[in-house]
Amino acid sequence: MSVVAASRDALAGDGVKAALAALPVCEAGVRTAPLTIETTFCTRKYCETPCCNGCGWRATQPDEAGELVALDPERVRAVLKLGESSLDCEVKAWAAAVSGQPISLGEPACVAR
């Protein structure tokens, strides 16, 4: 992996981890659930380096019945402090950073620790 791609990965993942760390601990009774971020579509550029394809993405969380519910991407972007860019490696780094984290995107957003 190139230095540029590794830097983008690290910056994207570290940024989400910092945003999660800054969230308050959820109070008792606040419903939290793991958040999943995944790419929806990506450009198909022939790149000399990794991490050059722009991607769409979506975030989901299970509801009380266990059904996955699509989340408002602008709310997710605001809570996790996601940048405007969404390159393939960045979306993967975001996904890894939130993996297994029980989060509430309510007002205020919080994380169960």
Side-chain angles (χ1 to χ4, degrees), residues 79-97:
V79 169
L80 298 180
K81 310 285 191 248
L82 305 180
E84 291 301 314
S85 174
S86 57
L87 297 175
D88 49 3
C89 68
E90 292 171 324
V91 176
K92 287 177 187 171
W94 300 341

Side-chain angles (χ1 to χ4, degrees), residues 8 20-22 30 32 35 54 61-62 66 70 72 103:
R8 283 195 176 274
L20 288 172
V30 172
T32 62
L35 181 71
Q61 264 184 327
D72 175 15
I103 300 168

Side-chain angles (χ1 to χ4, degrees), residues 13-110:
D14 289 349
V16 171
K17 289 175 187 173
L20 288 172
L23 289 175
V25 174
C26 295
E27 293 186 21
V30 172
R31 186 183 176 289
T32 62
L35 181 71
T36 301
I37 298 175
E38 60 190 354
T39 57
T40 54
F41 61 89
C42 295
T43 59
R44 298 283 182 205
K45 295 179 185 176
Y46 180 75
C47 306
E48 294 295 321
T49 60
C51 196
C52 72
N53 287 296
C55 296
W57 58 274
R58 71 179 185 150
T60 57
Q61 264 184 327
D63 63 12
E64 293 84 7
E67 298 292 321
L68 287 181
V69 176
L71 303 172
D72 175 15
E74 292 309 312
R75 178 69 178 150
V76 173
R77 188 178 295 279
V79 169
L80 298 180
K81 310 285 191 248
L82 305 180
E84 291 301 314
S85 174
S86 57
L87 297 175
D88 49 3
C89 68
E90 292 171 324
V91 176
K92 287 177 187 171
W94 300 341
V98 299
S99 180
Q101 294 287 326
I103 300 168
S104 171
L105 293 178
E107 286 293 338
C110 60

